[in-house]
C-alpha cells in the first residue's frame, strides 16, 4: 500500500513549499529595522530616565532650601547666623527635613549656606531680630546621579551642580 505523501514526493510535489526569496529578504529587513528602532527607543528612554533623576534631585534641593529657611527662621541661632556647612554638620532635626535622595555620600555632596540679613537690605547681621530674614542657599553636586556619559551626548549636556535659595522672616 502506497501512502498519499509518498505519491506526492514521487510525483515531484513538495508538501512544504519553499519560502520565496522575496519573503526571506523582507524578514531580514524587518529584523534590521527592529534592531535600529529598538536601539533608538532605548536611547530615548535612558535619556528620559536621566532627566527624571536630575529633575527629582533639583526638586529635592529646592524643597530642602525652603524647609531649612523655615527651620532657620523659627529656630534662630541653631544653624548659625552666617555660615556655610555640609549637610552632615546640620542639626539632626534640620537633616530630617531634607530628602534622602540628596543626602548621598553622607551629606558630603550638599553644601548649605545660611545668612541673616537686616530687614530687606543686603547687610548681614549676627544677632537677627524679628524684622530680619534668614536666607538659605543650597548647592548639590549631582554628578552621582548621572549614569550616562557626562560628555555631550547627542548635543545634550546634563547639569552636575544644582542650586536653590529661599528666605524666611525670623519669628
Amino acid at each position: 500500500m502506497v501512502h498519499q505523501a509518498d505519491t506526492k514526493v514521487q510525483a515531484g510535489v513538495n508538501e512544504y513549499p519553499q519560502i520565496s526569496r522575496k519573503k526571506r529578504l523582507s524578514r531580514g529587513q524587518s529584523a534590521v529595522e527592529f534592531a535600529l528602532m529598538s536601539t533608538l527607543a532605548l536611547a530615548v528612554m535612558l535619556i528620559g530616565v536621566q532627566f527624571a533623576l536630575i529633575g527629582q534631585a533639583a526638586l529635592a534641593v529646592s524643597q530642602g532650601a525652603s524647609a531649612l529657611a523655615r527651620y532657620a527662621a523659627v529656630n534662630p541661632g541653631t544653624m548659625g547666623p552666617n555660615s556655610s556647612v555640609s549637610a552632615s554638620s546640620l542639626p539632626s532635626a534640620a537633616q530630617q527635613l531634607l530628602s534622602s535622595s540628596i543626602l548621598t555620600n553622607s551629606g558630603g555632596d550638599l553644601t548649605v549656606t545660611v545668612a541673616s540679613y537686616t530687614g530687606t537690605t543686603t547687610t548681614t547681621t549676627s544677632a537677627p531680630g524679628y524684622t530680619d530674614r534668614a536666607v538659605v542657599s543650597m548647592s548639590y553636586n549631582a554628578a552621582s546621579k548621572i549614569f550616562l556619559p557626562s560628555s555631550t551626548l547627542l548635543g545634550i549636556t546634563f547639569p552636575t551642580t544644582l542650586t536653590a535659595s529661599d528666605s524666611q522672616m525670623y519669628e
Side-chain angles (χ1 to χ4, degrees), residues 19-155:
I19 299 174
S20 70
R21 179 174 161 79
K22 185 177 179 182
K23 284 186 180 180
R24 280 186 287 147
L25 289 177
S26 70
R27 280 197 304 186
Q29 178 185 355
S30 298
V32 170
E33 288 174 358
F34 175 77
L36 291 173
M37 292 308 293
S38 62
T39 303
L40 182 63
L42 182 64
V44 168
M45 287 190 306
L46 285 175
I47 291 171
V49 168
Q50 181 66 76
F51 274 117
L53 287 172
I54 292 171
Q56 188 274 338
L59 287 172
V61 169
S62 177
Q63 185 272 337
S66 180
L68 288 182
R70 179 75 181 141
Y71 180 84
V74 172
N75 304 298
T78 57
M79 292 176 44
N82 297 302
S83 61
S84 181
V85 296
S86 68
S88 59
S89 303
L90 292 171
S92 62
Q95 285 182 11
Q96 291 175 357
L97 296 172
L98 299 174
S99 172
S100 60
S101 65
I102 59 172
L103 290 176
T104 55
N105 194 16
S106 300
D109 291 336
L110 184 66
T111 304
V112 179
T113 304
V114 180
S116 297
Y117 293 102
T118 305
T120 58
T121 67
T122 57
T123 306
T124 60
T125 179
S126 58
Y130 289 107
T131 60
D132 299 334
R133 59 191 167 95
V135 178
V136 173
S137 299
M138 292 176 57
S139 177
Y140 177 66
N141 180 8
S144 64
K145 298 281 184 197
I146 298 175
F147 60 87
L148 292 176
S150 59
S151 62
T152 303
L153 176 71
L154 300 174

Side-chain angles (χ1 to χ4, degrees), residues 145-167:
K145 298 281 184 197
I146 298 175
F147 60 87
L148 292 176
S150 59
S151 62
T152 303
L153 176 71
L154 300 174
I156 302 169
T157 303
F158 301 107
T160 56
T161 302
L162 305 172
T163 58
S165 182
D166 197 7
S167 66

